[in-house]
């Protein structure tokens, strides 16, 4: 099994990435990924049911051609009423443009709102024919396996950390709370793990634990 374990950091400040694209969302830590081999990007947070999201995301896709995937949020997690028809129509346009540029469009589950419901997320992904970024920390511990089971056919990559609390991503002290979901992700052949933390030491420690666990998992399967 060829695993890709990426590291990323979260910031509210803009960062210049390849081709001068500014991202207010997530980016790989250049202190760790020294060869600048970034395979994926995370778009700034937009409400996809708004028409202006189309041109913004098309411009992003144009500027990251040659990358593997682009993860987006369907909404900002605060909106109460989403126009589903508009969201689907806009997302279809964006996804077709991504496909033409050989980029996999992935929609991420959020902690609250429309896309925190796995049935909503898989329905949209199936209609549009796009992928899902499975964010472990956005889901309560007790719901993680059921959420993944519902969405497993569309999951392309995953964001790994302990849990999000009070707007902060917390690192795992150990893998006790993550072992079952890691097993399930590996069973469905999800092989892109992105450690979504801010602190370099926390990233490296989490990476070490996950690499060790994956090695053990693969050994037990042989």
């Amino acid at each position: 099994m060829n695993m890709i374990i990426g590291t990323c950091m979260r910031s509210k400040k803009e960062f210049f990435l390849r081709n001068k694209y500014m991202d207010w969302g997530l980016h790989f830590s250049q202190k760790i990924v020294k060869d600048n081999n970034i395979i994926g990007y995370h778009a700034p947070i937009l409400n996809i049911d708004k028409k202006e999201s189309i041109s913004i995301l098309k411009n992003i896709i144009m500027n990251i051609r040659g990358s593997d995937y682009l993860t987006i949020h369907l909404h900002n997690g605060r909106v109460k009423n989403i126009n589903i028809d508009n969201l689907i129509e806009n997302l279809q346009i964006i996804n077709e443009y991504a496909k033409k540029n050989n980029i996999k469009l992935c929609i991420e589950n959020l902690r609250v709102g429309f896309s925190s419901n796995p049935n909503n997320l898989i329905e949209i992904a199936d209609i549009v024919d796009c992928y899902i970024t499975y964010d472990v920390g956005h889901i309560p511990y007790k719901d993680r396996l059921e959420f993944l089971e519902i969405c497993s056919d569309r999951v392309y990559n995953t964001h790994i950390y302990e849990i999000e609390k009070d707007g902060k991503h917390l690192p795992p002290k150990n893998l006790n709370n993550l072992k079952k979901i890691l097993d399930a992700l590996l069973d469905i052949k999800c092989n892109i793990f992105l450690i979504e933390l801010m602190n370099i030491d926390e990233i490296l420690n989490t990476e070490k634990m996950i690499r060790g666990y994956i090695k053990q998992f693969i050994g037990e399967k042989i």
Side-chain angles (χ1 to χ4, degrees):
M1 181 184 294
N2 295 322
M3 298 299 303
I4 300 170
I5 300 181
T7 56
C8 76
M9 302 186 72
R10 192 173 189 83
S11 178
K12 294 180 180 179
K13 297 180 180 179
E14 65 272 20
F15 284 86
F16 284 93
L17 299 179
R18 188 159 55 86
N19 297 325
K20 303 296 185 182
Y21 164 58
M22 275 195 296
D23 181 7
W24 277 263
L26 305 170
H27 70 107
F28 284 74
S29 168
Q30 295 183 5
K31 290 184 179 180
I32 300 174
V33 184
K34 296 179 180 179
D35 60 1
N36 203 30
N37 183 26
I38 300 174
I39 64 163
Y41 286 87
H42 195 302
I45 298 170
L46 301 166
N47 292 326
I48 307 301
D49 62 342
K50 306 300 181 185
K51 206 72 176 178
E52 57 266 25
S53 67
I54 297 175
S55 58
I56 294 171
L57 287 173
K58 276 188 172 183
N59 185 57
I60 292 170
I61 290 166
M62 181 181 66
N63 279 285
I64 64 169
R65 283 178 295 184
S67 299
D68 183 52
Y69 69 88
L70 175 67
T71 292
I72 66 172
H73 291 179
L74 296 180
H75 53 86
N76 61 19
R78 296 186 297 274
V79 293
K80 294 182 179 180
N81 298 308
I82 294 176
N83 188 315
I84 302 300
D85 291 336
N86 286 353
L87 185 148
I88 291 171
E89 181 180 352
N90 294 348
L91 196 60
Q92 285 174 327
I93 294 170
I94 296 162
N95 190 47
E96 286 305 311
Y97 190 76
K99 285 181 177 180
K100 288 179 181 178
N101 287 277
N102 297 313
I103 291 173
K104 297 175 182 68
L105 190 71
C106 304
I107 56 177
E108 180 183 344
N109 60 290
L110 296 187
R111 190 172 56 83
V112 295
F114 176 81
S115 62
S116 66
N117 184 322
N119 295 299
N120 292 340
L121 202 67
I122 190 63
E123 182 179 5
I124 295 295
D126 282 343
I127 291 171
V128 174
D129 190 27
C130 66
Y131 296 89
I132 289 173
T133 292
Y134 177 84
D135 190 306
V136 172
H138 284 169
I139 307 168
Y141 295 117
K142 63 182 179 62
D143 298 328
R144 290 177 178 179
L145 289 173
E146 182 182 2
F147 197 118
L148 181 62
E149 183 178 353
I150 292 170
C151 297
S152 62
D153 288 347
R154 292 282 175 176
V155 170
Y156 181 70
N157 62 349
T158 186
H159 290 172
I160 290 286
Y161 53 101
E162 178 71 17
I163 198 165
E164 181 176 327
K165 187 175 181 180
D166 299 325
K168 184 178 180 181
H169 290 196
L170 302 180
K173 294 179 180 178
N174 52 57
L175 296 184
N176 291 348
N177 293 320
L178 292 175
K179 285 180 180 179
K180 288 184 179 179
I181 196 62
L182 286 172
D183 286 351
L185 286 161
L186 292 168
D187 278 337
I188 66 167
K189 304 297 189 292
C190 178
N191 64 352
I192 301 177
F193 287 64
L194 194 61
I195 300 167
E196 196 177 27
L197 295 167
M198 290 183 68
N199 180 277
I200 295 288
D201 292 333
E202 291 174 350
I203 290 172
L204 292 173
N205 185 54
T206 302
E207 180 187 19
K208 182 179 179 181
M209 286 192 290
I210 290 176
R211 284 193 185 278
Y213 191 76
I214 290 171
K215 184 177 180 180
Q216 176 187 334
F217 178 91
I218 294 172
E220 290 174 352
K221 293 289 181 176
I222 295 175

